[in-house]
Amino acid sequence: MTKATDLPSHGADVTADHENHHDEHEHHIPKGVMRWILTTNHKDIGTLYLWFSFIMFLTGGAMAMVIRAELFQPGLQIVEPDFFNQMTTVHGLIMVFGAVMPAFVGLANWLVPMMIGAPDMALPRMNNWSFWILPFAFTILLASLFTEGGGPNFGWTFYAPLSTTYSNDSTALFVFSVHIMGISSIMGAINVIVTIFNMRAPGMTWMKMPLFVWTWLITAFLLIAVMPVLAGAVTMVLTDKFFGTSFFDAAGGGDPVMFQHIFWFFGHPEVYIMILPAFGIISHIVPTFARKPLFGYASMVYATASIALLSFVVWAHHMFTTGMPVYMEMFFMFATMLISVPTGVKVFNWVATMWRGSMTFEVPMLFALAFIVLFTIGGLSGLMLAITPVDFQYHDTYFVVAHFHYVLVTGAIFSIMAAVYYWLPKWTGKMFNVGLAKAHFWCSLISVNVLFFPMHFVGLAGMPRRIPDYSLQFADYNQWISIGGFAFGLSQLIFLVVVIQACRKQGEPVSDRVWEGANGLEWEIPSPAPYHTFETPPVVK
Amino acid sequence: MKKLVSIAMMVWGTLSVASVGLADTQAVSDINLRKGVTDISGQVYDLHMLMFLICVIIAVVVFGVMFVSMYLHRKSRGVKPAKFHESVKVEVAWTIVPFLILIFMAVPAANTLIAMEDTSEPDLTVLVTGSQWKWHYRYMDSDVSYYSLLATQREQISNRYEKGENYLLEVDRPLVIPTDQKVRFLITSDDVIHSWWVPDFAVKKDANPGFINEAWTKVNEPGLYRGQCAELCGKDHGFMPIVVVAKEPAEFDAWMSEQEEAQRKAKEAEQRLLAMNMSMDELMAEGKKVYNATCAACHMPNGEGLPGTFPALKGSKIALEDMQGHLDIVVNGKTGTAMQAFGKMLSLKELAAVITYERNAWGNDTGEIVQPKDVDAFNKGQ
């Protein structure tokens, strides 16, 4: 044997081997639970994220039901105040870190590679890891509820010193679980950035990227910028409580208000982390069902980037009552008001996209339209909250609760539902049960407004948030709010049925394009989307 | 069906806008901010209504265009989609116009804010201290100071008694201030962050432990004004209301001298108490009252505490054996925990009674009596 004869055959073998191996890979996906545990496929991981998020959504929702049951009438009926506080805290943590964020990461996993013409995410093993640490984080968090003394009871914002000197011992579990959530988010964000930077198909220039990809890219940078700040905050809480430091204790030279500065430096960009991908989703759905290209693509990209940049200089608007110098209050008031300009541009662009379109109102469009109206209501109450002198009256009342549920439930969560209905037929190859989906929409739309709209009223009338019991003047509205809450909770079970039916491949087969007006690379591939897509990159003209 | 959908969407949109409009009518004060009783709170109210009106107009215009489009530009009406997808002119316009609206909002907001934060040259200063879960008021220009606790009975909260008109909004001793004078509040906390909020004054300021915040008010009308703690401060955050009584200056002065007199008498009575002994029954009766008002929120009325959070007193080592330790923890508190120093909050008599009670209630049958003079001796000894 000589090298000269060896090399060519060796080379040929390698190719053949590669092809064989490749075929095997196509047809021998590990079966059962191991497929999901070992998977590095972006579609599998996307599915895992979405199901995890749905389970967390129902878990956090169940806690909201406990809260609303207790608040159904004045007096203490069902739970003790301490447990009530644990419910508000864990409800918030689960909805933010367990429901909304993983849902968006799941959508990014499914959609970003398909939208930019990439075969998978850039870092598939890290992708697996970033998902699979999440269930552990939430198991730890939920387990803390069963420890002696109970789970975290200091609000999802965990203000010191309530979360340090005055908290129970399960705070260590809370800190650890938030660390794991943060690591997961950072890994997810790195993956999205690396994928978008390196794996776009030839011809997919920056300003040709679909808006969902753009908004997620910007979101990923926000995540990388602020999740470490959250990690720092929880670590300082941990050392203040257990290791005798005094970051937030005036007696040792610290400052409890510094905690709030650190927390909200994370917390405000976090709010945009939960809404920017939603803007991307709506910017896909509205043009599809208006059968008209998105109005002002470039301005959408610039508006998203401006919102992201501004989000770093507005954090202290959560803290107007903490006693800041008046010039600081003014700075944060003006900066916050400024955010409404790019946000307004987005809403105007969506309306302009609809204008003189040829609209139909399929389920994804219904959710998208509800999003535009209800998110805007949340945005406008946000503008009112930005005005410092009146914020003194609104702050820490139900007016704030109404505001952030309008932007997070009828904003972020409605956009996630819109996205699921929009892309689900592409994922499963079958049209979901349209009748049930419409029932889900109408039940959700009506109940969510019965739930959150009266909160504006009780808030303005003076009901503080995070209280397990209230004075008699708020009784009527709270009853309505609770009824709306139960109805909204039950409506989500319809969603569960629709999704389960779809996953079991029930329904009419759909075409590759699915929706008449749909545009983008993900609609060029077959329905259901094959396990591997774009192994040869498409060329984007 | 599609027509129905769009009609339903329009009706719903109009309804929600109309229900916002309802908030405008002052007749139903249950659903809107209160105008309040100070010049500042009036300005804040006007600002709120201005903002609200602007937001409603924006909403009506934007949603109006959207709903008109949803009605006119439907495929079912046979509309062919237009092709346009950008216009620099329009984009510039809807960036600049909102910006101008913002400036229009910012000017009055900034003016009101500057007025609100001007705490200079007060006529009277009150130190407001929050602690879990009560307020303490100290008049800086006199000796008068006292705690203000929730006055609603526990039985009302647990639904055994019918709830009164001012359920959860009533206190045993309200803060009293004069009308027509600039009252400055210095606001701080003994433990976690609280927030002192009286909506009728448009005053809400956080009470931060270790730091002092300032706020002020000048009340125009005598009356009784209610508020609540507005920052989550633990278990009984919902149970620490604020009540402020505003009196005419002359009435206020009379009230103030009454208080000073009463405070002086109480001190004298305490001195007399040191010379005599109280009976077990007296101490237990007084102790039970103090315990339920002060200690039961954490250690629970049955003395069993909350496992993992607040220790039990029933059967505890301190309450059964260590008398000096018991005095010490009640008088000086325990740093790093929620246990406060009650030495400065309670009188010698109350301290003696509550310690006696804790050593003899719920099966803690030590039979030991602590007299006011024992507490006094402990205080002097440290």
Side-chain angles (χ1 to χ4, degrees):
Chain A
M1 262 207 226
T2 65
K3 269 189 179 175
T5 53
D6 206 26
L7 263 176
S9 73
H10 183 73
D13 272 337
V14 166
T15 326
D17 247 54
H18 180 75
E19 269 165 12
N20 278 337
H21 182 73
H22 189 83
D23 277 347
E24 266 172 24
H25 190 62
E26 282 283 355
H27 300 117
H28 295 277
I29 305 158
K31 290 275 182 284
V33 75
M34 289 317 279
R35 164 183 170 185
W36 299 104
I37 290 176
L38 299 177
T39 185
T40 53
N41 179 288
H42 73 103
K43 298 184 182 81
D44 282 353
I45 293 173
T47 306
L48 286 171
Y49 264 112
L50 287 169
W51 269 112
F52 178 76
S53 146
F54 203 172
I55 293 165
M56 284 298 118
F57 178 57
L58 296 177
T59 313
M63 291 172 186
M65 298 298 104
V66 174
I67 294 168
R68 284 321 316 175
E70 178 53 55
L71 292 173
F72 188 72
Q73 48 183 336
L76 293 176
Q77 287 88 16
I78 297 170
V79 295
E80 288 297 314
D82 190 55
F83 188 72
F84 181 91
N85 289 343
Q86 293 173 35
M87 286 292 102
T88 55
T89 305
V90 182
H91 163 76
L93 289 167
I94 286 194
M95 288 306 199
V96 168
F97 295 103
V100 175
M101 291 171 66
F104 282 131
V105 181
L107 290 170
N109 259 291
W110 256 104
L111 298 170
V112 167
M114 287 180 0
M115 284 179 168
I116 61 172
D120 203 315
M121 296 295 279
L123 309 162
R125 287 185 182 80
M126 192 167 84
N127 205 10
N128 172 293
W129 184 232
S130 76
F131 171 76
W132 275 111
I133 59 177
L134 269 189
F136 293 93
F138 285 90
T139 308
I140 292 170
L141 181 64
L142 289 170
S144 75
L145 288 171
F146 300 97
T147 57
E148 192 184 58
N153 57 8
F154 29 67
W156 86 277
T157 51
F158 61 105
Y159 281 10
L162 189 59
S163 61
T164 56
T165 313
Y166 296 87
S167 68
N168 49 36
D169 290 347
S170 72
T171 305
L173 295 177
F174 157 81
V175 169
F176 190 46
S177 90
V178 170
H179 268 303
I180 303 175
M181 295 170 203
I183 291 168
S184 165
S185 292
I186 290 172
M187 290 198 293
I190 289 173
N191 216 342
V192 168
I193 291 174
V194 177
T195 307
I196 295 174
F197 266 76
N198 295 302
M199 298 180 67
R200 280 170 292 136
M204 176 71 77
T205 56
W206 290 110
M207 291 312 272
K208 276 187 188 163
M209 274 189 341
L211 263 173
F212 181 72
V213 180
W214 255 119
T215 52
W216 237 113
L217 179 65
I218 292 166
T219 302
F221 276 107
L222 286 182
L223 276 168
I224 288 185
V226 301
M227 290 315 277
V229 179
L230 175 68
V234 287
T235 307
M236 285 186 262
V237 163
L238 185 80
T239 59
D240 262 19
K241 177 158 181 63
F242 295 103
F243 304 113
T245 58
S246 313
F247 292 108
F248 310 127
D249 182 359
D255 183 349
V257 176
M258 183 177 77
F259 171 87
Q260 295 179 37
H261 282 291
I262 296 170
F263 178 83
W264 286 114
F265 186 81
F266 147 79
H268 202 77
E270 168 70 17
V271 174
Y272 293 104
I273 287 166
M274 292 190 283
I275 204 65
L276 293 185
F279 291 162
I281 290 163
I282 302 305
S283 305
H284 281 250
I285 293 175
V286 170
T288 295
F289 297 100
R291 291 170 181 73
K292 192 162 151 279
L294 181 70
F295 187 87
Y297 169 89
S299 72
M300 283 297 212
V301 174
Y302 301 141
T304 310
S306 322
I307 293 172
L309 286 176
L310 282 171
S311 78
F312 287 107
V313 293
V314 298
W315 77 87
H317 68 215
H318 298 270
M319 303 166 50
F320 283 143
T321 64
T322 55
M324 280 184 281
V326 69
Y327 62 86
M328 255 172 83
E329 289 178 328
M330 279 207 236
F331 170 80
F332 284 106
M333 167 166 73
F334 297 149
T336 305
M337 292 169 80
L338 218 48
I339 287 195
S340 59
V341 174
T343 314
V345 166
K346 285 184 163 290
V347 174
F348 301 146
N349 280 346
W350 290 322
V351 175
T353 307
M354 286 182 234
W355 191 256
R356 293 185 52 210
S358 173
M359 267 187 277
T360 51
F361 301 94
E362 284 87 343
V363 179
M365 184 64 162
L366 291 177
F367 273 99
L369 293 173
F371 170 96
I372 295 173
V373 172
L374 299 175
F375 171 79
T376 304
I377 291 177
L380 290 170
S381 62
L383 181 58
M384 294 172 78
L385 282 159
I387 309 297
T388 316
V390 273
D391 177 76
F392 290 144
Q393 293 284 52
Y394 305 146
H395 178 75
D396 265 330
T397 69
Y398 262 77
F399 190 77
V400 177
V401 180
H403 158 71
F404 69 71
H405 281 96
Y406 264 87
V407 291
L408 284 177
V409 178
T410 57
I413 289 179
F414 267 35
S415 84
I416 292 164
M417 288 169 180
V420 169
Y421 284 123
Y422 185 53
W423 282 291
L424 193 58
K426 170 55 67 185
W427 301 338
T428 63
K430 300 284 167 62
M431 183 51 75
F432 52 81
N433 185 332
V434 175
L436 270 187
K438 281 195 170 159
H440 171 226
F441 171 74
W442 288 108
C443 289
S444 297
L445 179 69
I446 293 164
S447 59
V448 86
N449 283 290
V450 176
L451 165 58
F452 294 125
F453 209 82
M455 286 186 182
H456 291 111
F457 303 147
V458 287
L460 292 176
M463 179 167 162
R465 60 190 283 210
R466 292 167 164 171
I467 55 174
D469 193 6
Y470 47 83
S471 56
L472 301 180
Q473 85 227 53
F474 307 123
D476 294 347
Y477 280 115
N478 270 288
Q479 214 153 62
W480 277 108
I481 292 168
S482 287
I483 290 168
F486 301 141
F488 185 70
L490 288 174
S491 306
Q492 304 324 307
L493 299 179
I494 310 176
F495 188 37
L496 183 64
V497 172
V498 176
V499 175
I500 288 176
Q501 283 182 351
C503 289
R504 298 175 67 185
K505 310 261 175 177
Q506 294 170 8
E508 293 295 309
V510 291
S511 67
D512 292 355
R513 191 157 297 274
V514 183
W515 313 104
E516 189 189 24
N519 271 306
L521 285 178
E522 79 269 29
W523 307 109
E524 311 287 338
I525 56 177
S527 298
Y531 199 60
H532 295 286
T533 40
F534 296 126
E535 282 161 297
T536 319
V539 177
V540 180
K541 287 186 289 293
Chain B
M1 179 62 203
K2 276 173 187 151
K3 200 165 193 175
L4 260 180
V5 168
S6 60
I7 290 170
M9 293 258 342
M10 285 177 74
V11 169
W12 171 81
T14 333
L15 272 182
S16 69
V17 172
S19 57
V20 178
L22 268 181
D24 194 13
T25 56
Q26 261 294 281
V28 201
S29 60
D30 271 13
I31 59 170
N32 199 1
L33 225 54
R34 277 170 271 187
K35 197 155 186 139
V37 289
T38 69
D39 294 347
I40 289 286
S41 73
Q43 284 180 38
V44 167
Y45 175 82
D46 292 342
L47 203 53
H48 158 72
M49 291 314 289
L50 172 72
M51 290 296 303
F52 175 69
L53 199 70
I54 293 173
C55 287
V56 170
I57 292 170
I58 294 173
V60 168
V61 171
V62 175
F63 301 155
V65 173
M66 183 174 149
F67 290 130
V68 166
S69 172
M70 280 163 63
Y71 178 73
L72 290 178
H73 308 135
R74 280 174 301 143
K75 197 185 174 200
S76 55
R77 285 170 63 101
V79 182
K80 290 273 167 285
K83 290 271 179 284
F84 69 87
H85 60 87
E86 59 187 349
S87 158
V88 176
K89 270 185 209 154
V90 172
E91 299 273 0
V92 170
W94 64 39
T95 308
I96 288 178
V97 171
F99 190 75
L100 295 177
I101 298 176
L102 289 184
I103 292 174
F104 174 72
M105 293 169 170
V107 172
N111 285 334
T112 307
L113 181 62
I114 290 168
M116 285 176 107
E117 297 289 0
D118 177 16
T119 52
S120 60
E121 293 173 23
D123 299 314
L124 175 77
T125 300
V126 182
L127 176 67
V128 178
T129 310
S131 62
Q132 285 179 327
W133 290 277
K134 53 195 169 291
W135 294 99
H136 181 264
Y137 302 113
R138 176 183 297 280
Y139 293 84
M140 298 302 275
D141 310 322
S142 73
D143 265 351
V144 176
S145 73
Y146 52 88
Y147 278 91
S148 177
L149 289 112
L150 176 72
T152 304
Q153 299 149 297
R154 286 182 177 273
E155 287 82 359
Q156 287 189 21
I157 297 171
S158 59
N159 308 309
R160 274 177 297 184
Y161 294 175
E162 199 173 332
K163 294 176 178 43
E165 188 193 352
N166 296 311
Y167 178 68
L168 297 188
L169 295 178
E170 51 204 344
V171 297
D172 56 351
R173 292 185 74 180
L175 172 67
V176 180
I177 56 170
T179 55
D180 304 314
Q181 290 189 15
K182 185 167 183 174
V183 181
R184 180 173 63 149
F185 304 107
L186 302 177
I187 301 170
T188 186
S189 166
D190 276 340
D191 40 46
V192 301
I193 299 173
H194 304 267
S195 192
W196 197 77
W197 179 34
V198 181
D200 282 311
F201 304 165
V203 170
K204 183 187 284 155
K205 207 55 133 182
D206 288 1
N208 299 321
F211 294 84
I212 293 175
N213 268 331
E214 287 180 274
W216 70 276
T217 194
K218 191 171 169 190
V219 180
N220 296 330
E221 290 165 39
L224 187 148
Y225 307 105
R226 299 176 196 277
Q228 282 178 274
C229 176
E231 180 62 61
L232 177 64
C233 54
K235 186 168 76 66
D236 284 352
H237 162 54
F239 306 94
M240 52 182 294
I242 294 148
V243 179
V244 183
V245 173
K247 290 178 190 280
E248 301 277 2
E251 267 183 71
F252 173 79
D253 290 341
W255 176 86
M256 185 51 101
S257 18
E258 233 173 74
Q259 297 304 309
E260 282 171 333
E261 180 64 16
Q263 202 117 337
R264 197 176 51 75
K265 279 195 176 141
K267 274 204 182 122
E268 284 174 9
E270 192 139 89
Q271 286 307 310
R272 276 202 305 279
L273 210 59
L274 293 180
M276 55 185 243
N277 285 330
M278 291 170 74
S279 76
M280 182 70 151
D281 289 346
E282 271 179 297
L283 284 166
M284 285 298 279
E286 172 75 12
K288 185 170 185 179
K289 213 168 74 191
V290 176
Y291 181 86
N292 284 334
T294 314
C295 318
C298 298
H299 295 292
M300 296 288 122
N302 59 11
E304 287 172 5
L306 276 182
T309 311
F310 303 119
L313 302 181
K314 182 179 172 179
S316 81
K317 196 166 175 224
I318 283 184
L320 288 176
E321 295 165 26
D322 185 3
M323 171 79 89
Q324 285 303 306
H326 198 168
L327 279 162
D328 181 50
I329 198 167
V330 174
V331 171
N332 298 321
K334 188 175 174 189
T335 42
T337 71
M339 184 65 193
Q340 298 161 20
F342 289 96
K344 56 183 175 150
M345 298 183 205
L346 301 174
S347 68
L348 292 176
K349 180 178 156 194
E350 288 167 327
L351 286 166
V354 79
I355 294 171
T356 306
Y357 179 75
E358 286 170 359
R359 298 183 82 80
N360 293 285
W362 332 290
N364 284 2
D365 293 321
T366 58
E368 290 167 345
I369 290 180
V370 180
Q371 294 289 351
K373 61 184 167 201
D374 300 333
V375 182
D376 193 49
F378 175 82
N379 281 345
K380 290 189 173 127
Q382 43 178 356

